[in-house]
PDB file of all heavy atoms in Angstrom:
ATOM      1  N   ILE W   9     205.948 231.900  46.414  1.00  0.00           N
ATOM      2  CA  ILE W   9     205.786 233.165  45.711  1.00  0.00           C
ATOM      3  C   ILE W   9     204.776 232.974  44.578  1.00  0.00           C
ATOM      4  O   ILE W   9     204.836 231.996  43.838  1.00  0.00           O
ATOM      5  CB  ILE W   9     207.130 233.645  45.155  1.00  0.00           C
ATOM      6  CG1 ILE W   9     208.105 233.861  46.318  1.00  0.00           C
ATOM      7  CG2 ILE W   9     206.971 234.933  44.371  1.00  0.00           C
ATOM      8  CD1 ILE W   9     209.517 234.133  45.880  1.00  0.00           C
ATOM      9  N   ILE W  10     203.850 233.900  44.437  1.00  0.00           N
ATOM     10  CA  ILE W  10     202.750 233.755  43.493  1.00  0.00           C
ATOM     11  C   ILE W  10     202.892 234.771  42.360  1.00  0.00           C
ATOM     12  O   ILE W  10     203.159 235.947  42.586  1.00  0.00           O
ATOM     13  CB  ILE W  10     201.405 233.960  44.224  1.00  0.00           C
ATOM     14  CG1 ILE W  10     201.253 232.901  45.332  1.00  0.00           C
ATOM     15  CG2 ILE W  10     200.241 233.885  43.248  1.00  0.00           C
ATOM     16  CD1 ILE W  10     200.099 233.177  46.262  1.00  0.00           C
ATOM     17  N   LYS W  11     202.678 234.326  41.122  1.00  0.00           N
ATOM     18  CA  LYS W  11     202.642 235.250  39.989  1.00  0.00           C
ATOM     19  C   LYS W  11     201.480 236.220  40.159  1.00  0.00           C
ATOM     20  O   LYS W  11     200.413 235.842  40.615  1.00  0.00           O
ATOM     21  CB  LYS W  11     202.450 234.488  38.676  1.00  0.00           C
ATOM     22  CG  LYS W  11     203.658 233.807  38.130  1.00  0.00           C
ATOM     23  CD  LYS W  11     203.498 233.436  36.656  1.00  0.00           C
ATOM     24  CE  LYS W  11     202.200 232.755  36.334  1.00  0.00           C
ATOM     25  NZ  LYS W  11     202.098 232.403  34.911  1.00  0.00           N
ATOM     26  N   SER W  12     201.704 237.452  39.740  1.00  0.00           N
ATOM     27  CA  SER W  12     200.638 238.451  39.768  1.00  0.00           C
ATOM     28  C   SER W  12     200.400 238.925  38.341  1.00  0.00           C
ATOM     29  O   SER W  12     201.210 239.671  37.782  1.00  0.00           O
ATOM     30  CB  SER W  12     201.023 239.625  40.676  1.00  0.00           C
ATOM     31  OG  SER W  12     200.003 240.595  40.692  1.00  0.00           O
ATOM     32  N   SER W  13     199.298 238.472  37.744  1.00  0.00           N
ATOM     33  CA  SER W  13     198.974 238.792  36.348  1.00  0.00           C
ATOM     34  C   SER W  13     197.847 239.811  36.324  1.00  0.00           C
ATOM     35  O   SER W  13     196.790 239.588  36.917  1.00  0.00           O
ATOM     36  CB  SER W  13     198.549 237.525  35.602  1.00  0.00           C
ATOM     37  OG  SER W  13     199.553 236.539  35.675  1.00  0.00           O
ATOM     38  N   ARG W  14     198.080 240.950  35.647  1.00  0.00           N
ATOM     39  CA  ARG W  14     197.097 242.027  35.700  1.00  0.00           C
ATOM     40  C   ARG W  14     196.915 242.732  34.358  1.00  0.00           C
ATOM     41  O   ARG W  14     197.842 242.826  33.556  1.00  0.00           O
ATOM     42  CB  ARG W  14     197.518 243.055  36.757  1.00  0.00           C
ATOM     43  CG  ARG W  14     197.398 242.544  38.181  1.00  0.00           C
ATOM     44  CD  ARG W  14     198.021 243.464  39.192  1.00  0.00           C
ATOM     45  NE  ARG W  14     199.478 243.377  39.191  1.00  0.00           N
ATOM     46  CZ  ARG W  14     200.256 243.990  40.069  1.00  0.00           C
ATOM     47  NH1 ARG W  14     199.718 244.750  41.001  1.00  0.00           N
ATOM     48  NH2 ARG W  14     201.564 243.866  40.016  1.00  0.00           N
ATOM     49  N   ASN W  15     195.682 243.238  34.153  1.00  0.00           N
ATOM     50  CA  ASN W  15     195.346 244.049  32.988  1.00  0.00           C
ATOM     51  C   ASN W  15     194.673 245.327  33.454  1.00  0.00           C
ATOM     52  O   ASN W  15     194.053 245.364  34.517  1.00  0.00           O
ATOM     53  CB  ASN W  15     194.377 243.306  32.060  1.00  0.00           C
ATOM     54  CG  ASN W  15     195.032 242.174  31.304  1.00  0.00           C
ATOM     55  OD1 ASN W  15     195.932 242.401  30.502  1.00  0.00           O
ATOM     56  ND2 ASN W  15     194.601 240.949  31.561  1.00  0.00           N
ATOM     57  N   THR W  16     194.793 246.362  32.656  1.00  0.00           N
ATOM     58  CA  THR W  16     194.078 247.606  32.911  1.00  0.00           C
ATOM     59  C   THR W  16     193.312 248.015  31.656  1.00  0.00           C
ATOM     60  O   THR W  16     193.781 247.802  30.535  1.00  0.00           O
ATOM     61  CB  THR W  16     195.030 248.745  33.325  1.00  0.00           C
ATOM     62  OG1 THR W  16     194.285 249.977  33.376  1.00  0.00           O
ATOM     63  CG2 THR W  16     196.171 248.920  32.332  1.00  0.00           C
ATOM     64  N   LYS W  17     192.152 248.619  31.852  1.00  0.00           N
ATOM     65  CA  LYS W  17     191.354 249.099  30.716  1.00  0.00           C
ATOM     66  C   LYS W  17     191.991 250.326  30.075  1.00  0.00           C
ATOM     67  O   LYS W  17     191.569 250.744  28.984  1.00  0.00           O
ATOM     68  CB  LYS W  17     189.933 249.429  31.175  1.00  0.00           C
ATOM     69  CG  LYS W  17     189.859 250.580  32.174  1.00  0.00           C
ATOM     70  CD  LYS W  17     188.427 250.838  32.611  1.00  0.00           C
ATOM     71  CE  LYS W  17     188.357 252.007  33.603  1.00  0.00           C
ATOM     72  NZ  LYS W  17     186.964 252.267  34.048  1.00  0.00           N
ATOM     73  N   ASN W  18     193.003 250.893  30.733  1.00  0.00           N
ATOM     74  CA  ASN W  18     193.646 252.105  30.208  1.00  0.00           C
ATOM     75  C   ASN W  18     194.729 251.816  29.173  1.00  0.00           C
ATOM     76  O   ASN W  18     195.390 252.724  28.689  1.00  0.00           O
ATOM     77  CB  ASN W  18     194.250 252.911  31.364  1.00  0.00           C
ATOM     78  CG  ASN W  18     193.197 253.382  32.345  1.00  0.00           C
ATOM     79  OD1 ASN W  18     192.074 253.688  31.956  1.00  0.00           O
ATOM     80  ND2 ASN W  18     193.530 253.422  33.623  1.00  0.00           N
ATOM     81  N   ALA W  19     194.911 250.530  28.860  1.00  0.00           N
ATOM     82  CA  ALA W  19     195.860 250.133  27.814  1.00  0.00           C
ATOM     83  C   ALA W  19     195.205 249.028  26.989  1.00  0.00           C
ATOM     84  O   ALA W  19     194.280 248.354  27.459  1.00  0.00           O
ATOM     85  CB  ALA W  19     197.167 249.637  28.432  1.00  0.00           C
ATOM     86  N   PRO W  20     195.662 248.845  25.740  1.00  0.00           N
ATOM     87  CA  PRO W  20     195.040 247.831  24.870  1.00  0.00           C
ATOM     88  C   PRO W  20     195.171 246.429  25.459  1.00  0.00           C
ATOM     89  O   PRO W  20     196.214 246.054  25.986  1.00  0.00           O
ATOM     90  CB  PRO W  20     195.837 247.948  23.564  1.00  0.00           C
ATOM     91  CG  PRO W  20     196.452 249.301  23.601  1.00  0.00           C
ATOM     92  CD  PRO W  20     196.723 249.586  25.042  1.00  0.00           C
ATOM     93  N   LYS W  21     194.097 245.649  25.364  1.00  0.00           N
ATOM     94  CA  LYS W  21     194.112 244.267  25.827  1.00  0.00           C
ATOM     95  C   LYS W  21     194.281 243.326  24.649  1.00  0.00           C
ATOM     96  O   LYS W  21     193.847 243.617  23.526  1.00  0.00           O
ATOM     97  CB  LYS W  21     192.826 243.945  26.584  1.00  0.00           C
ATOM     98  CG  LYS W  21     192.699 244.684  27.904  1.00  0.00           C
ATOM     99  CD  LYS W  21     191.443 244.264  28.661  1.00  0.00           C
ATOM    100  CE  LYS W  21     191.338 244.997  29.994  1.00  0.00           C
ATOM    101  NZ  LYS W  21     190.121 244.597  30.743  1.00  0.00           N
ATOM    102  N   ASN W  22     194.917 242.187  24.918  1.00  0.00           N
ATOM    103  CA  ASN W  22     195.132 241.162  23.898  1.00  0.00           C
ATOM    104  C   ASN W  22     194.673 239.833  24.473  1.00  0.00           C
ATOM    105  O   ASN W  22     195.076 239.455  25.579  1.00  0.00           O
ATOM    106  CB  ASN W  22     196.622 241.111  23.521  1.00  0.00           C
ATOM    107  CG  ASN W  22     196.897 240.186  22.352  1.00  0.00           C
ATOM    108  OD1 ASN W  22     196.442 239.046  22.337  1.00  0.00           O
ATOM    109  ND2 ASN W  22     197.647 240.671  21.388  1.00  0.00           N
ATOM    110  N   SER W  23     193.841 239.127  23.732  1.00  0.00           N
ATOM    111  CA  SER W  23     193.268 237.878  24.241  1.00  0.00           C
ATOM    112  C   SER W  23     194.308 236.785  24.415  1.00  0.00           C
ATOM    113  O   SER W  23     194.052 235.778  25.086  1.00  0.00           O
ATOM    114  CB  SER W  23     192.163 237.383  23.300  1.00  0.00           C
ATOM    115  OG  SER W  23     192.694 237.127  21.999  1.00  0.00           O
TER     116      SER W  23
END
Side-chain angles (χ1 to χ4, degrees):
I9 299 171
I10 299 169
K11 282 197 312 181
S12 179
S13 303
R14 290 170 284 186
N15 287 297
T16 172
K17 64 181 181 180
N18 298 326
K21 292 184 179 180
N22 187 311
S23 61

